[in-house]
Amino acid sequence: MTMRLTTTDPTTEKDVETYEYHDDADLDRLLDRSADRFESWRDRPVTERQALVGSIADVLRENEDEYAELMTEEMGKPVSQARGEIQKCAWVCEFYAERAAEFLQDERVGVHPRARTKVSYEPLGPLVAVMPWNYPFWQVLRVAAPTLAAGNTMLLSHAPNVTGCAKAVERILDEAGFPEGVFTTLVVDTDAIHDAVADDRVAAATLTGSVRAGRAVAETAGNNLKPSVLELGGSDPFVVLADAPLDRACEVAAKARVNNNGQACIAAKRFIVHEDVYESFRDGLVREMESLTVGDPADEDTDVGPIARADLLDTLETQVRETVDAGATVLTGGEALDREGYFFEPTVLEDVPDDAPAACDELFGPVASLFRVGSEEEAMELANDTDYGLGASVWTEDLERGERLAGEFEAGAAFVNELVQSHPKLPFGGVKNSGYGRELAADGIREFTNKKTVWVSPADGLDG
């Protein structure tokens, strides 16, 4: 019997589209095609590969509204943010179209006067990429652009609820002129993903998602001695010191918590505030959260749309309820909305116990947790008291102090007086349970290459 999956609009709870899963024979055929295509794709000049990556940007910009509306329909992203995601995808493709050859050029290393020594960057082969639903175009293309420019091929296993977005990305690359098989969308279940990662035709794996999923893929890759990159969850601290620029900090704090409906790994989740400004920041954050418009994400005026799936809404409700039962106070929000769709109110919690879900777990929704501290030292200790280490920010008028504290965060990225974000020109990734390896910048294109040492000595030897 053919297995099928159906995507659901989280705003209306209505079915969007039904897709057939690839069966074992399909998977074998697609793996064969990807491996065969790699042999010719790797030999294409890097200038040709990067030009094709640049063509992706052209297709994205020409069809921005179509792709944004698809995102909004499948996972509930406010449409203005969805357009911003498409624009960012075009940007990362243009970045690698310009810089790929530079990042991949041989590096000459002086070792001996009579020897020619260098480091070259050569593609590994087919890459399995397991991607999440929350940024359904960006997460894929920030991996695909450098991976394909480097000469690898890519097999995408996307989250089931954004299968339409996955299919759209494949069509985009086809329209951009990529040969068939360089990029392939797999519609498969979890067991098939692990089969693909373990397959001899696959060279490496990358995953963006939960810690549980990351551990599973890393175990499969490790057991088969294949490199992997993991970008996992986060519980980012947002540290507000006594000399913080409060008006801007409150405004950015709300944006940092509810962007993408609060469903972002690098969202600020724990707001750690010095007691001297605690009440002022708390009241300002509550005002900002209460000013947000919750509603249909297809409406241009909507700030916060639905949670992406019913089960994710149930999980968020449980986490908030258990946190309140443990002693936390709800300052605003705290409930799912009694309406069609998977909506949750923008929420601010205070007096959060150290062992409550809102302190320990990653809450994937528009819920901010406030913590009062009495000193800079206490703030940093609490900021680092987490199993995660993706991003962090500190807010202060003293920039030298801010830069010093940025160096103390146990995180892959630290920002002073700014929203934590990814940028094509900067490496992105985490430490601890937030994963390992880096995406973007030069690091991202080199992650899935063989960094090969080449040593050429004269025939009569180095001393001849």
Side-chain angles (χ1 to χ4, degrees):
M1 187 175 90
T2 302
M3 292 180 58
R4 294 179 173 85
L5 68 87
T6 300
T7 55
T8 301
D9 185 333
T11 303
T12 64
E13 303 181 48
K14 294 184 169 68
D15 291 347
V16 175
E17 190 63 75
T18 298
Y19 301 90
E20 290 188 2
Y21 279 96
H22 289 127
D23 61 20
D24 291 345
D26 293 328
L27 178 59
D28 186 64
R29 174 179 56 81
L30 295 172
L31 287 171
D32 248 349
R33 189 182 70 174
S34 185
D36 289 345
R37 180 59 66 186
F38 169 67
E39 296 304 323
S40 57
W41 179 245
R42 67 182 300 175
D43 291 334
R44 292 277 289 269
V46 65
T47 51
E48 293 183 14
R49 298 196 302 261
Q50 68 182 22
L52 285 170
V53 169
S55 296
I56 299 173
D58 297 335
V59 179
L60 289 167
R61 294 193 189 281
E62 289 168 7
N63 303 281
E64 178 183 305
D65 288 342
E66 174 190 343
Y67 304 139
E69 290 165 7
L70 177 59
M71 258 189 282
T72 297
E73 183 178 43
E74 284 199 321
M75 52 75 60
K77 189 188 302 290
V79 70
S80 60
Q81 296 178 28
R83 283 197 296 271
E85 179 170 336
I86 296 301
Q87 292 161 12
K88 191 171 183 179
C89 290
W91 181 24
V92 78
C93 290
E94 289 165 344
F95 173 73
Y96 282 109
E98 178 184 349
R99 304 290 296 277
E102 173 192 340
F103 294 148
L104 296 169
Q105 66 184 337
D106 293 345
E107 296 181 1
R108 299 290 175 177
V109 181
V111 173
H112 189 280
R114 300 198 71 215
R116 295 201 307 271
T117 46
K118 67 180 181 180
V119 177
S120 62
Y121 296 91
E122 300 177 354
L124 295 178
L127 168 76
V128 169
V130 184
M131 292 291 119
W133 49 264
N134 55 337
Y135 290 90
F137 282 77
W138 169 246
Q139 303 280 17
V140 174
L141 288 168
R142 79 179 187 191
V143 173
T147 295
L148 302 181
N152 300 298
T153 55
M154 180 170 159
L155 299 131
L156 168 67
S157 175
H158 219 326
N161 60 319
V162 290
T163 298
C165 292
K167 295 283 190 180
V169 174
E170 189 170 40
R171 290 194 299 272
I172 289 166
L173 270 71
D174 180 64
E175 188 173 340
F178 280 78
E180 185 181 44
V182 169
F183 180 94
T184 303
T185 291
L186 302 176
V187 184
V188 294
D189 61 19
T190 301
D191 289 341
I193 292 170
H194 291 287
D195 290 343
V197 173
D199 193 280
D200 289 343
R201 289 164 289 189
V202 167
T206 185
L207 176 142
T208 298
S210 69
V211 174
R212 178 185 56 79
R215 290 184 191 277
V217 166
E219 181 179 7
T220 301
N223 283 339
N224 291 275
L225 298 179
K226 296 178 182 180
S228 59
V229 168
L230 303 180
E231 194 269 280
L232 308 178
S235 185
D236 287 10
F238 188 107
V239 175
V240 181
L241 300 180
D243 65 341
L246 283 183
D247 288 345
R248 182 163 179 268
C250 291
E251 180 182 351
V252 175
K255 180 180 179 182
R257 180 60 286 224
V258 305
N259 190 42
N260 203 39
N261 307 335
Q263 301 167 123
C265 297
I266 58 171
K269 299 184 176 82
R270 296 177 299 130
F271 296 83
I272 301 167
V273 186
H274 193 279
E275 60 188 5
D276 289 353
V277 293
Y278 180 85
E279 283 81 7
S280 297
F281 178 84
R282 177 195 63 195
D283 295 346
L285 177 59
V286 169
R287 282 195 301 272
E288 292 287 344
M289 296 286 270
E290 290 179 341
S291 73
L292 297 169
T293 299
V294 181
D296 184 350
D299 189 328
E300 295 287 347
D301 295 326
T302 292
D303 299 305
V304 182
I307 302 302
R309 297 195 313 256
D311 62 308
L312 298 172
L313 177 62
D314 291 343
T315 297
L316 183 63
E317 285 187 284
T318 299
Q319 290 172 315
V320 171
R321 182 177 64 252
E322 290 179 352
T323 298
V324 173
D325 289 346
T329 301
V330 178
L331 298 177
T332 188
E335 302 284 346
L337 293 177
D338 184 16
R339 55 164 290 176
E340 183 180 60
Y342 312 135
F343 291 87
F344 197 88
E345 298 174 298
T347 298
V348 180
L349 305 175
E350 70 172 350
D351 304 321
V352 176
D354 293 343
D355 57 352
C360 302
D361 301 337
E362 181 178 28
L363 270 60
F364 232 49
V367 181
S369 301
L370 282 169
F371 302 86
R372 184 197 303 255
V373 293
S375 67
E376 170 189 301
E377 291 74 21
E378 185 182 356
M380 296 305 294
E381 182 179 357
L382 181 56
N384 291 327
D385 185 20
T386 173
D387 292 333
Y388 295 104
L390 193 54
S393 67
V394 59
W395 295 77
T396 174
E397 294 282 3
D398 185 339
L399 300 189
E400 290 188 4
R401 181 191 196 191
E403 189 167 355
R404 172 176 57 81
L405 294 177
E408 295 180 15
F409 283 123
E410 296 170 1
F415 287 68
V416 180
N417 299 330
E418 193 53 81
L419 178 79
V420 175
Q421 57 195 286
S422 57
H423 191 291
K425 295 181 179 180
L426 296 169
F428 179 78
V431 296
K432 299 194 284 189
N433 277 0
S434 290
Y436 55 76
R438 292 295 180 266
E439 298 174 336
L440 302 176
D443 304 68
I445 199 169
R446 292 173 177 170
E447 279 285 0
F448 297 112
T449 60
N450 173 23
K451 302 168 184 66
K452 178 187 288 185
T453 294
V454 178
W455 182 309
V456 181
S457 290
D460 60 353
L462 296 180
D463 298 323

